[in-house]
Amino acid sequence: MKAFFSKLSQAIMLPIALLPAAGIMLGIGGSFTNETMINAYQIDILQNGTWLNSFLQIMTAAGGIVFANLPVMFALAIAVGFAKAEKGAAAIAALISFLVMNVAIAKTLVVGGLVKGGAVVLFGNAYDGLLTSTLGIGGTLSMGVFGGIIAGALTVVLHNKYHDVVLPDYLGFFGGARFVPIVSAFSALFYGIALTFIWPFIGAVFGWIGVTLGDMAASGNGYIASFIFGIIERSLIPAGLHHVFYLPLWQTDIGGTAEIAGKMVQGTQNIFFASLGSGDFSQFTSTNFMSGKFPFMMFGLPAAAYAMYTLADDKNKKAAGGLLFSIALTAFLTGITEPIEFTFLFLAPALYYAIHVPLAGLSFMLMDLLNVKVGMTFSGGFIDFSLFGILPGVTGVDNNWFYIPIVGVVYAFIYFFAFRWFIVKYDIRTPGRKGSDVAVVSKKDFNDAKSKSGSSDMAMADAMIEALGGKDNVIDVDACITRLRITVKDGSLVKDNHYWTTKLGAKGLVKVGNTGIQAVYGAQAAGYKTQINTRLGK
C-alpha cells in the first residue's frame, strides 16, 4: 500500500508541476488588470483598451485554461505514471477514455430524463451545482480531478493487461498498444453510464465535508481544521505521500465550493485562482489549507538552517554554510523545504515530529485566525507570496498578507532557538558539527572528484545505479520536484541512508516497502533522473 501511494504521489506531480507557470500567468495578469490597482496608482499604460492590458488579459486566460482542464491532465498523468510500457499509448488511451466517459454521462442524463430545470434529479433529490462543461462536452457531471483519476486509473489497468496482446493475423494491425484505446473506449462507455447513477452520492459526501469545513470557518472554528491539516500534511512529508493528502482538498469540493463570477468552483486552490482572476475574494475563506505554509517555509526553516550553521565546527563552517545557506535560500524563494527537513529528519526524528510538525500545524491555525487569504501554486515561497499575496493586496483585496512576514519573523526566532536548544541538549551531529559523519562536500571538492574519475555528470548516475543494486535491479526511475522516485526489484540490495547521504550527496533516503526508493536531492532530482535513465537506456 505504501508503494502504491508513493507511485500515485509521483504520478500526480506531473500536472502539479504545470501549476507554477499557470499560477504566475494568473497572478501577474489578474493583478495588473485589476481596475482598483490601476486607478489607485494611475498607471495609464495598464488602462483597459491599451495593448499591455490586452496582453495581460490574454495571459490571464492562458493561466486559467490550465486550472480549468486539470481533470484531463490527471487522467493523462495517472496513465503515464502507472503504465509499465508504451507510456505514450497509455496517455492517448486515457484521453479517449476521459472523453468517452464524459460523453456517456452527458447523454445518459439526457436520454434517461435525469435533467430537470438545469439540475440532476435522482431518486427525488437534486444535487445543486452538479452539471458542468468539460472540453466542450456540456451537461456532464462535475467530478473534478477525481473524474480524471478514475478514467486514468481504469485505463492503465487495461493498458498493462493488453498492451502486448496478440490478435489473429487478420486483426493483427489492431494488436499490441493499438488495442488499448479501443478496449478503453468501450470500457469508458459502460463505466460512464454507471457513474451517472453513482457519482451524485459520492459527490454529496464530498460536498458535505466541504460544507462542514465551510461552516467551521463561518462559526469561527475553521482554525481547528487548519491546524489538523498542517499536522497531517507535514507528517506525511518523510514518506512523500503529502501530495495524495492535500490534492483532494485543493482540487475537489472536499476543500469547499464557491460561486465565482457566476460559476461554481470546487477546491480551495481553484477557488483562490478563480477569485484572483475575477478580482472577487469575498468567497475565499481563510480556511484554505495553503496560507499556513508561508511563515515556516519562508522564515522558520531557513532560521533552523542558520541555527545548524552556527553550531558547526569552525573548520567546517565554510562547507556547512555552502550547504545550509543554499537550501535555506531555496526554501525562502520557492517553498521547497525537503532538503532542509531531511537534513535533520534522520538525525533527530523527535526534532522533526515533536517541534517542527506542531509548529507547522500552528502556522496554519494562526493564518486562519488572522484571516490571511494568500494562495499558492504548489508551495509557500517568496515568489508565490509576492504574486498571490502582495500584488493582490495592493489592488485593494483584503487578504491580510502583511501578517505573514510578521508571524514569520516570530517563527524565525522560535525555530532558531528551539533548534539550537535541541541540537545542543541531545548532542545531534548536524552538518559539520563535532566531526559529524554527515557529509559536507563543497562544489569544488565534488568537481575535483568528477575530474579525477575521468567522466562527466554521468559518474554520479553510475554511482547511483550501483547504490540501487545495479542495472538489473532498477525497474523505473522518475522524479518529482525534490525526490528521485525509484522502483526496484529487491530493496535489500539498495545501499542505506548513511551511504546515500555521505557518498552520493542526498539529503535523505526513504524506503517504501521493499520496492519503493525515494532519494531526496532538491531541485537536482529531475536532472539526476534524466542521467540515470540515459545510463539505463530508457
Side-chain angles (χ1 to χ4, degrees):
M1 186 177 293
K2 287 181 180 179
F4 167 78
F5 280 108
S6 177
K7 189 73 173 178
L8 177 62
S9 181
Q10 168 188 319
I12 64 179
M13 283 308 298
L14 290 172
I16 288 175
L18 296 172
L19 298 187
I24 288 171
M25 290 182 185
L26 269 175
I28 295 176
S31 296
F32 286 102
T33 55
N34 185 286
E35 291 186 7
T36 303
M37 187 195 77
I38 295 172
N39 294 330
Y41 292 94
Q42 297 182 345
I43 309 174
D44 293 337
I45 195 174
L46 294 177
Q47 292 289 347
N48 190 32
T50 64
W51 69 269
L52 186 54
N53 183 279
S54 299
F55 173 75
L56 290 170
Q57 288 187 44
I58 296 172
M59 179 184 290
T60 303
I65 198 67
V66 174
F67 288 93
N69 290 287
L70 276 176
V72 69
M73 296 180 193
F74 274 87
L76 299 173
I78 293 295
V80 171
F82 281 90
K84 295 179 180 178
E86 300 281 358
K87 292 180 180 289
I92 293 174
L95 175 60
I96 294 171
S97 297
F98 183 80
L99 293 172
V100 172
M101 177 188 75
N102 279 285
V103 167
I105 291 171
K107 289 300 180 183
T108 301
L109 289 169
V110 173
V111 301
L114 301 174
V115 178
K116 295 181 180 180
V120 177
V121 180
L122 290 172
F123 304 104
N125 295 314
Y127 179 54
D128 294 334
L130 195 62
L131 293 179
T132 189
S133 178
T134 299
L135 295 180
I137 304 170
T140 186
L141 293 180
S142 177
M143 295 187 286
V145 296
F146 281 123
I149 291 174
I150 290 170
L154 295 177
T155 298
V156 83
V157 170
L158 295 170
H159 173 84
N160 288 338
K161 184 175 182 179
Y162 294 114
H163 74 274
D164 56 357
V165 67
V166 177
L167 299 178
D169 291 343
Y170 60 89
L171 295 174
F173 177 80
F174 299 103
R178 295 188 184 95
F179 182 71
V180 177
I182 298 172
V183 69
S184 296
F186 277 100
S187 298
L189 175 65
F190 290 102
Y191 65 72
I193 295 173
L195 282 169
T196 306
F197 301 94
I198 297 172
W199 186 260
F201 302 104
I202 299 174
V205 174
F206 291 165
W208 176 81
I209 296 173
V211 170
T212 301
L213 292 175
D215 289 343
M216 290 178 68
S219 65
N221 295 318
Y223 63 89
I224 298 175
S226 298
F227 178 75
I228 295 172
F229 172 85
I231 292 288
I232 296 175
E233 193 268 344
R234 280 299 100 179
S235 296
L236 291 175
I237 285 286
L241 304 180
H242 50 299
H243 307 303
V244 180
F245 170 67
Y246 70 65
L247 181 70
L249 291 158
W250 280 19
Q251 293 298 328
T252 75
D253 47 359
I254 296 178
T257 59
E259 185 175 343
I260 308 294
K263 183 179 180 181
M264 290 300 297
V265 184
Q266 302 173 335
T268 186
Q269 188 179 55
N270 292 329
I271 293 171
F272 173 77
F273 282 105
S275 301
L276 183 66
S278 68
D280 176 17
F281 273 71
S282 61
Q283 299 299 312
F284 186 64
T285 69
S286 56
T287 307
N288 57 57
F289 312 115
M290 290 189 285
S291 301
K293 286 189 176 183
F294 289 102
F296 71 86
M297 286 185 167
M298 289 173 55
F299 298 93
L301 284 171
Y306 182 63
M308 288 187 274
Y309 166 74
T310 62
L311 293 173
D313 298 340
D314 289 340
K315 64 179 181 180
N316 292 329
K317 261 192 167 52
K318 182 178 179 181
L323 167 71
L324 293 168
F325 287 145
S326 64
I327 59 179
L329 182 62
T330 299
F332 177 79
L333 290 176
T334 68
I336 296 176
T337 58
E338 286 164 293
I340 295 180
E341 290 166 323
F342 276 78
T343 299
F344 63 88
L345 170 62
F346 292 105
L347 296 171
L351 181 58
Y352 186 90
Y353 283 103
I355 294 180
H356 173 49
V357 168
L359 284 172
L362 182 62
S363 178
F364 278 92
M365 185 178 76
L366 287 172
M367 293 300 98
D368 197 324
L369 289 170
L370 295 170
N371 201 30
V372 177
K373 301 179 179 182
V374 180
M376 63 184 64
T377 51
F378 77 96
S379 204
F382 182 76
I383 296 173
D384 279 17
F385 171 63
S386 300
L387 290 173
F388 312 129
I390 298 176
L391 281 180
V394 300
T395 66
V397 172
D398 186 19
N399 60 2
N400 292 326
W401 64 268
F402 51 85
Y403 281 121
I404 289 177
I406 293 174
V407 174
V409 170
V410 176
Y411 255 57
F413 281 98
I414 292 173
Y415 266 80
F416 178 80
F417 289 109
F419 269 67
R420 272 192 63 96
W421 168 79
F422 191 97
I423 292 169
V424 172
K425 180 175 178 61
Y426 296 100
D427 198 22
I428 308 300
R429 295 189 173 187
T430 47
R433 183 172 184 268
K434 290 192 172 182
S436 170
D437 56 1
V438 177
V440 179
V441 182
S442 68
K443 186 173 182 180
K444 181 179 182 301
D445 293 337
F446 177 72
N447 290 331
D448 289 344
K450 282 202 305 182
S451 62
K452 290 178 182 178
S453 68
S455 61
S456 63
D457 287 341
M458 288 302 179
M460 178 62 84
D462 290 335
M464 290 179 181
I465 292 170
E466 181 182 355
L468 290 168
K471 289 185 177 181
D472 293 338
N473 195 43
V474 180
I475 297 175
D476 179 69
V477 179
D478 211 324
C480 63
I481 296 172
T482 59
R483 307 175 187 221
L484 280 172
R485 293 175 178 262
I486 306 154
T487 304
V488 297
K489 295 177 182 176
D490 184 357
S492 65
L493 300 178
V494 179
K495 300 287 188 181
D496 60 14
N497 176 71
H498 176 78
Y499 184 89
W500 281 80
T501 55
T502 58
K503 303 295 183 183
L504 298 178
K507 305 301 184 295
L509 186 83
V510 178
K511 291 187 177 182
V512 184
N514 190 46
T515 59
I517 304 296
Q518 298 176 10
V520 181
Y521 276 100
Q524 296 173 298
Y528 286 146
K529 164 203 161 183
T530 301
Q531 293 162 15
I532 294 173
N533 280 328
T534 299
R535 275 295 199 236
L536 295 174
K538 297 183 178 181

